[in-house]
Amino acid sequence: MDTEITKPINDIFTGVDERDWLKITNALADEVVIDYTSLNGGEPKLQTADEVAAAWASFLPGFDATHHEVSDFKRTVKGEDAVVHYKGKAAHFLNKEVWKVEGTFETELRKTNDGWRITKHKFIVTKQEGNSQLSAKATEVLKLKRSRAQKQSITFASEGLVLAGDLYKPEDYDKTKKYPAIVVGGSWTTVKEQMSGLYAAKLAEQGFITLAIDPRFFGGSEGQPRFWENPKAKTEDYKNSLSFLETVEGVDIDNIFLVAVCASAGYLSNVCAEDKRVRGFATVAAWLHDAESVKPIYGGQEGVKTKISQARDAKRKFAQSGSVEYIPTVSRTDKNAAMFGEFDYYLVKDRGGIPEWSADKFAVMSWEDWLTYDPMPTATRLFQPTLMIHSEDAALPQNAKKFFNDIPHRDKALRWTKGTQFDFYDQPRQVSESVGAITRFFTQHLK
């Protein structure tokens, strides 16, 4: 029992040093009192586990490294509750400066169905050495680092069309060095200024050269008709983005990876299966459907059949007259929209509802290509190291598990965490956790 009680305590400190926010949130109760008032002043805070992780993620990655040690555990257990007193010390490193802190902790825990979880975490500082302002410096370093990822607008050719993209380089990019590179894909209908660009920027902060593109028919890229969700075409565009990356100065062509958010998981899994240039693959909240799983989403068997019929009619109309039939991409009120309901990410201007993306144009001809597309069998053809990040509240969780299980090799990892589908698009906790996990996984698999 002693080990079970102290494991969550050890996990929060190793989680901090490893920047593993999932390990931290799994050690905490749904709500926890954090009391660092002896160090920082102020008042104790009642926070959710996600809020604690997000707060720590806002400054800890700004340090070059941190190292925590805890010892001398003294436990008091009363039924389902426990209090643990222990000593702790931490070293924080930034540039050539060090800030060391020592003190005692009083951590309260409660036994749950998932094991012991921390409900209160109090630190009493007894000694400090070095620069006590280093935490504030780390926060500024992180903010500066995030604002300095070098972004460059680029174009390249894909099957006779000119595609637009944004290329990101680390802030300390040195053209005499070689960097691993990543192509990042987003959800269906999206553009590079949405989730793919966000992940590309965040991964560039971690030392990668990254690329987010507008596939044909969308954003700044060529292609007619506009707003046509065409999985086959997108797959070819992502393949050609690999070819473009091979021409970019500083790219290590032996270490090119793919990251897929949402629907691009299907498209990029096909790229992986067909292109040996891909060194590794990661998915975030993968949307992976098949013929059965689309039925309850799109009106049952009859609803799917109707949409496919409408798409074929729209394709004939376009072939004959060049006119394109559109419906809204997203709407709270129009049941004919491609996404009908409270799709908050796309409906909020400060999130995905940006000017570069169209909320009112979805080509009806897309339905056939989208609803008949089945990436699930592709799992059996993956040979690259693969990381999948998902949750029970993200899209089609059972399909994600099946896809992972069908990958035939053992060099794979499934990170089951927390968050809704849209949380993974832009919320700090999910994005930070995902970027950290991807960085560690890809770094472990550099050639």
Side-chain angles (χ1 to χ4, degrees):
M1 174 165 305
D2 286 351
T3 302
E4 292 177 0
I5 292 173
T6 56
K7 183 181 184 301
I9 295 172
N10 285 311
D11 281 351
I12 62 171
F13 292 108
T14 57
V16 164
D17 291 339
E18 296 170 358
R19 312 297 187 251
D20 189 336
W21 315 120
L22 179 61
K23 182 179 286 189
I24 293 169
T25 56
N26 283 346
L28 302 176
D30 291 339
E31 290 188 327
V32 57
V33 175
I34 300 294
D35 186 351
Y36 274 67
T37 54
S38 75
L39 182 66
N40 302 323
E43 299 292 332
K45 295 181 180 180
L46 177 64
Q47 297 177 293
T48 66
D50 286 346
E51 287 171 340
V52 173
W56 291 356
S58 70
F59 72 97
L60 284 166
F63 290 109
D64 296 332
T66 57
H67 179 71
H68 289 77
E69 295 181 15
V70 289
S71 60
D72 297 337
F73 292 105
K74 293 180 176 60
R75 310 161 185 84
T76 302
V77 182
K78 292 183 179 180
E80 305 294 295
D81 296 300
V83 180
V84 183
H85 294 86
Y86 52 101
K87 295 178 182 178
K89 55 184 179 180
H92 309 75
F93 304 92
L94 180 56
N95 295 327
K96 296 182 179 180
E97 295 186 276
V98 182
W99 172 43
K100 295 182 178 180
V101 184
E102 295 184 23
T104 60
F105 287 90
E106 179 183 285
T107 300
E108 298 179 11
L109 304 96
R110 179 164 296 146
K111 192 173 185 180
T112 72
N113 291 334
D114 297 319
W116 290 91
R117 294 292 181 266
I118 296 169
T119 57
K120 184 176 181 180
H121 186 60
K122 181 177 181 179
F123 176 63
I124 301 171
V125 63
T126 58
K127 182 180 179 181
Q128 292 191 63
E129 294 180 3
N131 186 353
S132 62
Q133 300 302 309
L134 213 57
S135 181
K137 282 190 176 184
T139 302
E140 292 305 312
V141 165
L142 188 59
K143 288 180 179 178
L144 193 60
K145 188 176 183 181
R146 287 174 173 171
S147 68
R148 284 188 175 178
Q150 300 182 32
K151 177 181 173 182
Q152 176 188 355
S153 296
I154 57 89
T155 58
F156 64 96
S158 180
E159 297 188 322
L161 297 172
V162 177
L163 304 189
D166 286 332
L167 185 72
Y168 297 83
K169 296 178 181 178
E171 64 161 330
D172 56 355
Y173 170 77
D174 182 343
K175 65 180 181 181
T176 66
K177 297 180 180 180
K178 294 292 183 181
Y179 298 82
I182 304 173
V183 174
V184 185
S187 183
W188 75 330
T189 80
T190 55
V191 292
K192 62 186 180 299
E193 290 81 9
Q194 292 173 317
M195 71 287 292
S196 62
L198 175 62
Y199 274 83
K202 297 294 185 184
L203 288 162
E205 294 169 10
Q206 304 303 315
F208 297 92
I209 292 176
T210 61
L211 175 64
I213 70 167
D214 287 332
R216 72 186 77 175
F217 313 129
F218 290 95
S221 293
E222 294 182 340
Q224 294 292 335
R226 304 304 294 169
F227 313 109
W228 179 15
E229 186 68 26
N230 186 321
K232 182 179 178 181
K234 282 191 169 182
T235 298
E236 291 305 313
D237 290 343
Y238 284 123
K239 284 182 183 178
N240 289 322
S241 68
L242 294 176
S243 299
F244 169 76
L245 265 186
E246 289 182 314
T247 70
V248 173
E249 185 178 54
V251 167
D252 180 354
I253 62 173
D254 292 324
N255 286 299
I256 298 179
F257 299 85
L258 299 179
V259 169
V261 183
C262 192
S264 60
Y267 312 149
L268 291 178
S269 66
N270 273 283
V271 176
C272 285
E274 298 168 2
D275 201 317
K276 294 183 178 180
R277 292 177 295 178
V278 179
R279 179 65 183 162
F281 180 41
T283 70
V284 179
W287 179 289
L288 296 161
H289 69 226
D290 56 18
E292 286 304 310
S293 55
V294 297
K295 291 177 183 177
I297 300 171
Y298 295 105
Q301 184 172 342
E302 285 304 312
V304 170
K305 184 179 178 180
T306 297
K307 285 179 169 56
I308 291 175
S309 177
Q310 292 171 344
R312 290 172 179 170
D313 289 342
K315 286 179 179 178
R316 283 192 290 270
K317 183 177 180 180
F318 177 70
Q320 294 168 0
S321 66
S323 61
V324 185
E325 186 176 351
Y326 292 108
I327 57 175
T329 310
V330 61
S331 176
R332 291 190 177 99
T333 57
D334 189 342
K335 293 183 178 180
N336 293 316
M339 293 181 280
F340 169 64
E342 295 297 326
F343 288 85
D344 53 341
Y345 174 81
Y346 296 104
L347 291 165
V348 176
K349 291 182 179 180
D350 292 338
R351 299 185 69 188
I354 58 175
E356 294 86 352
W357 179 75
S358 173
D360 59 0
K361 285 189 176 180
F362 175 87
V364 172
M365 69 175 66
S366 304
W367 283 129
E368 180 179 21
D369 305 276
W370 174 248
L371 293 173
T372 61
Y373 182 65
D374 182 359
M376 293 297 290
T378 311
T380 62
R381 298 189 289 124
L382 294 183
F383 59 88
Q384 297 94 338
T386 301
L387 167 68
M388 296 186 69
I389 302 167
H390 213 87
S391 78
E392 205 63 37
D393 294 321
L396 302 168
Q398 296 308 312
N399 284 23
K401 291 176 182 177
K402 184 180 187 307
F403 189 93
F404 177 81
N405 290 333
D406 287 346
I407 297 172
H409 59 75
R410 294 184 178 181
D411 199 356
K412 59 182 180 177
L414 178 61
R415 188 180 183 92
W416 208 254
T417 181
K418 298 177 182 178
T420 67
Q421 185 71 11
F422 296 147
D423 287 341
F424 287 99
Y425 291 0
D426 68 343
Q427 293 305 291
R429 190 266 194 185
Q430 283 75 20
V431 173
S432 177
E433 177 189 336
S434 299
V435 167
I438 292 166
T439 299
R440 289 190 295 274
F441 188 80
F442 285 175
T443 300
Q444 291 167 3
H445 290 91
L446 292 174
K447 187 173 181 180

